[in-house]
């Protein structure tokens, strides 16, 4: 919606909105919000609302403590769940410095910057269709998540096996009330695991939608006494949760990845974009798979990709070209998971693709056989390399890629690498049950 300030003032009166929730996302992907009473509406609409940025992850320097929130009025929305104290509206904001410039450490500002480069390259939009998966766990009496799943269902199962069905249905209805175009909702392969797909949108809206989606899923699950998690691999031995990213580039004539006469009906632009995605795959992994735990999903045997390969016919590789053509011609990145900061992940894959266009990068041949049945020798012959196998490995790849530095901007690039190394080192210092089980008695 293209709301004006006047529209917002009118809606606030008509709907009797009592509180404003101002949202932005930090470098590590957490949605942050400042809640203010409606008396602050004029301040907000005049870009005068201030907050202390010094305590927010990635917004660390002292001189950055006074920050301004500039609302993006197109993201205005009244939460459909009511509170005793009246209605709450939210608006997503851009973080600005006291000197009036956009703050470079705000991942949303950064994506807006990268999208300007895309427009300069002659495209009108980068479209993202996400497929987020999540688990529903039972909660204990203190409202903490347990590791007990709420059902034993599997792919596309129906009630009564799929006890999450009622909860999932209310999530879908709530999303629709909030303007989402939900395309599908189904039980996933693992017990307690679900997927909800909503229609693709241009990059910025898609990233905002992903953040809103996670909030809605968690909020509604709680109403059902369930805990929703987007943690990539909550339980060993069963599938983890990913968030495939479907992507396409449009110009004023439509989907530029489509070419009636091209190989697989894909354009040269599609191949070069794919070439860029393949070339930088190892380095954007640290962004699309940001947690220590993300790498426990990227192992053989659980439908998640492990090798850098693409295919137009096979569902197992890192990048798949789904069958649909015309306006649905797209590339699907299957590694990403929903713990990624969507603003950074989308900026990273876009910059990788644009690098492919700029340098005419030709992708390696497609791999249409089952890679998991190849031995190391065969993979080598087919030029198939592994994705990074842990966060440290992924960070090494990221830190040496100039294109990814451009995708994040220097400030975010540096603070992201620093924060993630701290996370990895904290993990490395821990001793797990697995180690004690394996080693205690044997040595
Ligand atoms: P899968 O077959 O991998 O399970 P889904 O049907 O679950 O795929 O999801 C497909 C996603 O792709 C949806 O979010 C859909 O809106 C999106 N999509 C369709 N066309 C495009 C396009 N041109 N660009 C980007 N995403 C698209
Ligand atoms: Mg799907
Ligand atoms: Mg589907
Ligand atoms: Mg799925
Ligand atoms: Mg998919």
């Amino acid at each position: 919606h293209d709301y004006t300030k006047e529209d917002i003032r009118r809606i606030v009166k008509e709907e009797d909105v009592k509180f404003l929730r101002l949202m932005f996302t930090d470098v590590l992907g957490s949605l942050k919000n400042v809640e203010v009473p409606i008396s602050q509406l004029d301040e907000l609409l005049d870009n005068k609302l201030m907050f202390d940025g010094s305590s927010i992850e990635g917004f660390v320097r002292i001189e950055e403590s006074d920050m301004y929130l500039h609302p993006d009025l197109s993201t205005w929305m009244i939460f459909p769940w009511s509170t005793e104290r009246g209605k709450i509206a939210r608006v997503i904001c851009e973080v600005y410095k006291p000197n009036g410039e956009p703050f470079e450490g705000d991942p949303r500002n950064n994506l807006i910057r990268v999208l300007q480069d895309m427009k300069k390259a002659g495209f009108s939009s980068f479209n993202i269709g996400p497929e987020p998966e999540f688990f529903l766990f039972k909660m204990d009496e203190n409202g903490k998540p347990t590791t007990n799943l709420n059902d034993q269902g599997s792919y596309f199962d129906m009630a009564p096996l799929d006890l999450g069905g009622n909860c999932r249905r209310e999530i879908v209805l709530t999303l629709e009330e909030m303007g989402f175009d939900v395309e599908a909702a189904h039980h996933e392969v693992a017990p307690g695991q679900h997927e909800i797909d909503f229609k693709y949108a241009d990059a910025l809206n898609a990233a905002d939608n992903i953040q809103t989606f996670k909030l809605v899923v968690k909020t509604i699950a709680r109403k059902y006494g369930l805990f929703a998690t987007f943690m990539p691999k909550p339980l060993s031995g069963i599938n983890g949760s990913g968030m495939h990213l479907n992507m396409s580039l449009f110009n004023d004539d439509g989907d530029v990845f489509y070419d009636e006469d091209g190989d697989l009906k894909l354009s040269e632009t599609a191949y070069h974009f794919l070439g860029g995605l393949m070339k930088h795959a190892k380095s954007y992994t640290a962004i699309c798979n940001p947690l220590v735990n993300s790498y426990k999903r990227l192992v053989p045997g659980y439908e998640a990709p492990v090798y850098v390969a693409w295919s137009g016919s096979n569902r197992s590789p890192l990048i798949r070209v789904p069958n649909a053509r015309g306006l649905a011609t797209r590339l699907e990145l299957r590694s990403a998971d929903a713990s990624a900061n969507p603003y950074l992940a989308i900026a990273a894959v876009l910059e990788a693709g644009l690098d492919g266009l700029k340098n005419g990068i030709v992708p390696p041949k497609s791999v249409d056989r089952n890679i998991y049945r190849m031995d190391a020798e065969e993979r080598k012959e087919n030029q198939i390399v592994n994705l990074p196998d842990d966060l440290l490995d992924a960070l090494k790849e990221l830190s040496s890629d100039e294109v990814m530095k451009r995708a994040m901007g220097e400030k975010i690039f540096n603070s992201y690498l620093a924060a993630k190394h701290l996370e990895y080192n904290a993990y490395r210092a821990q001793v797990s049950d697995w180690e004690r089980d394996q080693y205690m008695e044997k040595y």
Side-chain angles (χ1 to χ4, degrees):
H1 285 285
D2 284 326
Y3 293 119
T4 62
K5 291 185 191 183
E6 284 322 303
D7 292 333
I8 301 292
R9 288 198 177 91
R10 179 176 46 77
I11 296 169
V12 161
K13 277 218 183 73
E14 281 171 7
E15 301 280 334
D16 195 22
V17 173
K18 292 280 199 256
F19 287 95
L20 298 169
R21 209 173 269 184
L22 317 173
M23 298 185 159
F24 57 91
T25 295
D26 72 7
V27 167
L28 298 184
S30 298
L31 189 59
K32 298 286 170 182
N33 66 187
V34 182
E35 194 171 275
V36 298
I38 200 67
S39 59
Q40 298 297 303
L41 181 63
D42 286 335
E43 295 279 294
L44 175 71
L45 293 177
D46 290 337
N47 294 337
K48 283 186 186 151
L49 263 190
M50 244 168 54
F51 77 103
D52 175 5
S54 63
S55 52
I56 305 278
E57 190 75 53
F59 294 12
V60 277
R61 284 176 16 228
I62 296 300
E63 60 264 45
E64 283 155 7
S65 59
D66 284 341
M67 299 296 233
Y68 287 82
L69 291 173
H70 290 197
D72 177 341
L73 298 186
S74 71
T75 66
W76 170 270
M77 156 190 301
I78 298 174
F79 287 128
W81 49 85
S82 50
T83 67
E84 281 168 29
R85 294 287 174 168
K87 289 185 184 168
I88 305 173
R90 79 91 197 260
V91 66
I92 297 177
C93 298
E94 283 137 36
V95 180
Y96 272 69
K97 297 189 282 195
N99 69 5
E101 288 169 6
F103 176 53
E104 308 86 346
D106 174 358
R108 194 172 188 273
N109 284 343
N110 180 68
L111 179 58
I112 292 170
R113 177 185 63 81
V114 173
L115 289 169
Q116 282 160 356
D117 292 344
M118 172 207 73
K119 296 217 164 114
K120 277 185 216 138
F123 304 104
S124 56
S125 69
F126 181 48
N127 301 302
I128 294 288
E131 300 175 58
E133 294 170 338
F134 56 92
F135 279 90
L136 293 175
F137 285 100
K138 289 180 183 157
M139 285 195 292
D140 66 17
E141 53 283 359
N142 302 318
K144 291 274 177 214
T146 68
T147 51
N148 299 325
L149 293 161
N150 80 310
D151 71 55
Q152 289 299 321
S154 190
Y155 196 59
F156 276 40
D157 272 343
M158 297 199 304
L161 270 183
D162 174 7
L163 296 177
N166 283 338
C167 173
R168 200 178 59 220
R169 222 164 283 124
E170 182 161 344
I171 291 170
V172 171
L173 292 173
T174 308
L175 289 168
E176 285 179 333
E177 275 180 72
M178 293 171 81
F180 278 74
D181 197 342
V182 177
E183 293 186 337
H186 59 83
H187 201 289
E188 257 302 341
V189 173
Q193 192 186 29
H194 301 268
E195 174 175 318
I196 298 176
D197 305 316
F198 44 93
K199 189 171 191 255
Y200 70 89
D202 73 273
L204 192 62
N205 282 316
D208 289 345
N209 285 345
I210 290 167
Q211 293 300 70
T212 306
F213 175 83
K214 290 187 282 192
L215 179 71
V216 170
V217 170
K218 284 179 174 284
T219 304
I220 303 298
R222 273 196 177 272
K223 260 183 73 174
Y224 283 79
L226 297 170
F227 190 92
T229 184
F230 293 89
M231 178 180 177
K233 186 88 172 189
L235 298 173
S236 45
I238 60 175
N239 281 9
S241 296
M243 183 175 67
H244 298 171
L245 293 177
N246 293 269
M247 53 189 118
S248 64
L249 268 182
F250 280 17
N251 66 13
D252 295 335
D253 298 327
D255 192 329
V256 300
F257 286 175
Y258 179 61
D259 180 356
E260 182 63 43
D261 305 319
D263 205 9
L264 296 176
K265 297 196 179 191
L266 295 177
S267 65
E268 189 174 45
T269 306
Y271 282 105
H272 288 162
F273 198 94
L274 174 60
L277 285 177
M278 292 289 289
K279 178 176 175 190
H280 298 286
K282 283 166 125 192
S283 35
Y284 57 68
T285 300
I287 306 170
C288 293
N289 304 88
L291 307 184
V292 162
N293 182 255
S294 296
Y295 297 84
K296 305 199 169 172
R297 169 175 164 259
L298 301 176
V299 296
Y302 298 97
E303 297 183 43
V306 177
Y307 306 108
V308 182
W310 74 276
S311 174
S313 59
N314 189 323
R315 269 185 175 261
S316 65
L318 177 67
I319 298 169
R320 177 172 80 100
V321 187
N323 282 326
R325 289 293 178 271
L327 284 180
T329 313
R330 60 188 191 264
L331 302 173
E332 180 191 38
L333 178 70
R334 299 178 58 264
S335 56
D337 69 55
S339 67
N341 179 325
Y343 301 96
L344 296 183
I346 293 171
V349 293
L350 175 56
E351 199 73 53
L354 291 177
D355 185 53
L357 299 191
K358 212 184 314 167
N359 294 301
I361 300 173
V362 176
K365 277 212 271 323
S366 69
V367 179
D368 301 320
R369 292 170 48 202
N370 189 335
I371 310 170
Y372 298 92
R373 297 224 184 90
M374 294 182 180
D375 57 27
E377 199 59 35
E378 282 179 283
R379 288 200 299 273
K380 206 170 164 198
E381 278 164 28
N382 287 281
Q383 297 176 322
I384 302 169
V385 295
N386 285 34
L387 280 173
D389 27 59
D390 63 15
L391 183 58
L392 185 63
D393 191 9
L395 291 173
K396 276 188 198 134
E397 298 287 345
L398 174 63
S399 60
S400 58
D401 190 331
E402 286 299 316
V403 172
M404 288 302 110
K405 190 175 189 173
R406 194 158 74 219
M408 301 173 100
E410 194 161 353
K411 186 179 183 70
I412 294 182
F413 186 76
N414 290 335
S415 56
Y416 190 83
L417 283 169
K420 287 293 158 184
H421 275 114
L422 278 178
E423 185 175 331
Y424 183 78
N425 289 337
Y427 166 71
R428 206 169 87 87
Q430 293 300 316
V431 178
S432 67
D433 286 344
W434 184 89
E435 289 164 273
R436 271 183 293 269
D437 289 347
Q438 295 291 313
Y439 306 138
M440 192 87 112
E441 292 175 39
K442 204 160 159 192
Y443 296 95

Tab-separated table of all heavy atoms in Angstrom, residues 168 171-177 179-185 195-199 213:
chain	number	residue	atom	x	y	z
A	168	ARG	N	-1.677	-24.427	12.176
A	168	ARG	CA	-1.181	-23.963	10.879
A	168	ARG	C	-2.271	-23.202	10.118
A	168	ARG	O	-2.013	-22.189	9.487
A	168	ARG	CB	-0.680	-25.155	10.061
A	168	ARG	CG	0.267	-24.757	8.942
A	168	ARG	CD	0.771	-25.974	8.211
A	168	ARG	NE	-0.325	-26.720	7.645
A	168	ARG	CZ	-0.405	-28.059	7.641
A	168	ARG	NH1	0.553	-28.789	8.166
A	168	ARG	NH2	-1.445	-28.654	7.109
A	171	ILE	N	-2.533	-19.803	11.444
A	171	ILE	CA	-1.390	-19.009	10.957
A	171	ILE	C	-1.704	-18.491	9.555
A	171	ILE	O	-1.535	-17.305	9.257
A	171	ILE	CB	-0.093	-19.850	10.945
A	171	ILE	CG1	0.358	-20.170	12.376
A	171	ILE	CG2	1.021	-19.114	10.190
A	171	ILE	CD1	1.482	-21.191	12.477
A	172	VAL	N	-2.212	-19.382	8.701
A	172	VAL	CA	-2.517	-18.998	7.316
A	172	VAL	C	-3.583	-17.902	7.286
A	172	VAL	O	-3.439	-16.893	6.583
A	172	VAL	CB	-2.966	-20.229	6.499
A	172	VAL	CG1	-3.506	-19.803	5.133
A	172	VAL	CG2	-1.814	-21.214	6.329
A	173	LEU	N	-4.654	-18.073	8.077
A	173	LEU	CA	-5.722	-17.067	8.093
A	173	LEU	C	-5.197	-15.715	8.570
A	173	LEU	O	-5.542	-14.661	8.028
A	173	LEU	CB	-6.884	-17.532	8.976
A	173	LEU	CG	-7.662	-18.728	8.415
A	173	LEU	CD1	-8.681	-19.236	9.430
A	173	LEU	CD2	-8.361	-18.367	7.098
A	174	THR	N	-4.347	-15.754	9.601
A	174	THR	CA	-3.783	-14.503	10.123
A	174	THR	C	-2.908	-13.828	9.070
A	174	THR	O	-2.982	-12.620	8.856
A	174	THR	CB	-2.947	-14.786	11.394
A	174	THR	OG1	-3.748	-15.535	12.298
A	174	THR	CG2	-2.488	-13.497	12.050
A	175	LEU	N	-2.095	-14.638	8.392
A	175	LEU	CA	-1.241	-14.074	7.343
A	175	LEU	C	-2.088	-13.417	6.259
A	175	LEU	O	-1.776	-12.325	5.772
A	175	LEU	CB	-0.362	-15.168	6.720
A	175	LEU	CG	0.762	-15.713	7.601
A	175	LEU	CD1	1.348	-16.980	6.992
A	175	LEU	CD2	1.859	-14.664	7.795
A	176	GLU	N	-3.182	-14.082	5.901
A	176	GLU	CA	-4.048	-13.520	4.861
A	176	GLU	C	-4.659	-12.193	5.315
A	176	GLU	O	-4.717	-11.232	4.560
A	176	GLU	CB	-5.128	-14.532	4.455
A	176	GLU	CG	-4.527	-15.638	3.592
A	176	GLU	CD	-5.527	-16.691	3.159
A	176	GLU	OE1	-6.530	-16.890	3.882
A	176	GLU	OE2	-5.293	-17.307	2.100
A	177	GLU	N	-5.083	-12.153	6.598
A	177	GLU	CA	-5.612	-10.888	7.135
A	177	GLU	C	-4.572	-9.784	7.060
A	177	GLU	O	-4.903	-8.601	6.978
A	177	GLU	CB	-5.987	-11.058	8.611
A	177	GLU	CG	-7.371	-11.615	8.862
A	177	GLU	CD	-7.600	-11.731	10.356
A	177	GLU	OE1	-7.761	-10.687	11.018
A	177	GLU	OE2	-7.598	-12.876	10.864
A	179	GLY	N	-2.451	-9.439	4.707
A	179	GLY	CA	-2.138	-9.102	3.323
A	179	GLY	C	-1.227	-10.078	2.604
A	179	GLY	O	-0.807	-9.827	1.470
A	180	PHE	N	-0.873	-11.194	3.242
A	180	PHE	CA	-0.038	-12.201	2.567
A	180	PHE	C	-0.875	-12.992	1.568
A	180	PHE	O	-2.051	-13.275	1.814
A	180	PHE	CB	0.517	-13.206	3.581
A	180	PHE	CG	1.732	-12.736	4.316
A	180	PHE	CD1	1.631	-11.771	5.313
A	180	PHE	CD2	2.979	-13.274	4.030
A	180	PHE	CE1	2.759	-11.341	6.009
A	180	PHE	CE2	4.107	-12.850	4.729
A	180	PHE	CZ	3.997	-11.888	5.717
A	181	ASP	N	-0.233	-13.374	0.459
A	181	ASP	CA	-0.888	-14.206	-0.534
A	181	ASP	C	-0.332	-15.625	-0.338
A	181	ASP	O	0.716	-15.978	-0.892
A	181	ASP	CB	-0.525	-13.648	-1.913
A	181	ASP	CG	-1.438	-14.149	-2.997
A	181	ASP	OD1	-2.111	-15.165	-2.757
A	181	ASP	OD2	-1.456	-13.528	-4.063
A	182	VAL	N	-0.988	-16.414	0.522
A	182	VAL	CA	-0.462	-17.737	0.862
A	182	VAL	C	-0.771	-18.715	-0.272
A	182	VAL	O	-1.911	-18.824	-0.705
A	182	VAL	CB	-1.055	-18.254	2.191
A	182	VAL	CG1	-0.564	-19.661	2.497
A	182	VAL	CG2	-0.696	-17.299	3.324
A	183	GLU	N	0.267	-19.393	-0.786
A	183	GLU	CA	0.064	-20.305	-1.915
A	183	GLU	C	-0.130	-21.745	-1.460
A	183	GLU	O	-0.824	-22.519	-2.095
A	183	GLU	CB	1.257	-20.215	-2.880
A	183	GLU	CG	1.350	-18.861	-3.566
A	183	GLU	CD	2.437	-18.807	-4.634
A	183	GLU	OE1	3.378	-19.616	-4.571
A	183	GLU	OE2	2.325	-17.935	-5.511
A	184	ALA	N	0.516	-22.136	-0.387
A	184	ALA	CA	0.400	-23.518	0.073
A	184	ALA	C	0.838	-23.610	1.526
A	184	ALA	O	1.662	-22.830	1.991
A	184	ALA	CB	1.282	-24.427	-0.781
A	185	ALA	N	0.236	-24.569	2.231
A	185	ALA	CA	0.656	-24.846	3.599
A	185	ALA	C	0.541	-26.350	3.767
A	185	ALA	O	-0.486	-26.933	3.443
A	185	ALA	CB	-0.241	-24.130	4.598
A	195	GLU	N	5.547	-26.458	6.454
A	195	GLU	CA	6.003	-25.446	5.503
A	195	GLU	C	4.804	-24.603	5.087
A	195	GLU	O	3.711	-25.130	4.866
A	195	GLU	CB	6.614	-26.106	4.258
A	195	GLU	CG	6.980	-25.108	3.148
A	195	GLU	CD	7.698	-25.747	1.952
A	195	GLU	OE1	8.579	-26.602	2.181
A	195	GLU	OE2	7.361	-25.395	0.809
A	196	ILE	N	5.019	-23.303	4.984
A	196	ILE	CA	3.982	-22.405	4.450
A	196	ILE	C	4.642	-21.554	3.371
A	196	ILE	O	5.665	-20.910	3.618
A	196	ILE	CB	3.376	-21.514	5.554
A	196	ILE	CG1	2.686	-22.388	6.613
A	196	ILE	CG2	2.380	-20.512	4.945
A	196	ILE	CD1	2.123	-21.626	7.800
A	197	ASP	N	4.088	-21.612	2.156
A	197	ASP	CA	4.657	-20.843	1.050
A	197	ASP	C	3.756	-19.662	0.737
A	197	ASP	O	2.545	-19.818	0.634
A	197	ASP	CB	4.758	-21.703	-0.223
A	197	ASP	CG	5.539	-22.984	0.018
A	197	ASP	OD1	6.587	-22.904	0.682
A	197	ASP	OD2	5.086	-24.051	-0.422
A	198	PHE	N	4.360	-18.496	0.593
A	198	PHE	CA	3.569	-17.342	0.167
A	198	PHE	C	4.168	-16.779	-1.110
A	198	PHE	O	5.315	-17.038	-1.446
A	198	PHE	CB	3.453	-16.286	1.260
A	198	PHE	CG	4.723	-15.980	2.000
A	198	PHE	CD1	5.546	-14.945	1.578
A	198	PHE	CD2	5.101	-16.728	3.103
A	198	PHE	CE1	6.719	-14.645	2.265
A	198	PHE	CE2	6.275	-16.443	3.794
A	198	PHE	CZ	7.084	-15.402	3.373
A	199	LYS	N	3.343	-16.013	-1.800
A	199	LYS	CA	3.700	-15.579	-3.140
A	199	LYS	C	4.948	-14.698	-3.136
A	199	LYS	O	5.156	-13.899	-2.222
A	199	LYS	CB	2.524	-14.808	-3.759
A	199	LYS	CG	2.738	-14.526	-5.214
A	199	LYS	CD	1.492	-13.960	-5.867
A	199	LYS	CE	1.685	-13.949	-7.357
A	199	LYS	NZ	1.928	-12.815	-8.039
A	213	PHE	N	6.515	-12.894	8.797
A	213	PHE	CA	6.065	-14.290	8.811
A	213	PHE	C	6.529	-15.003	10.081
A	213	PHE	O	5.749	-15.665	10.768
A	213	PHE	CB	6.610	-14.999	7.566
A	213	PHE	CG	6.315	-16.473	7.523
A	213	PHE	CD1	5.089	-16.935	7.066
A	213	PHE	CD2	7.256	-17.402	7.953
A	213	PHE	CE1	4.810	-18.297	7.036
A	213	PHE	CE2	6.985	-18.760	7.920
A	213	PHE	CZ	5.758	-19.205	7.458
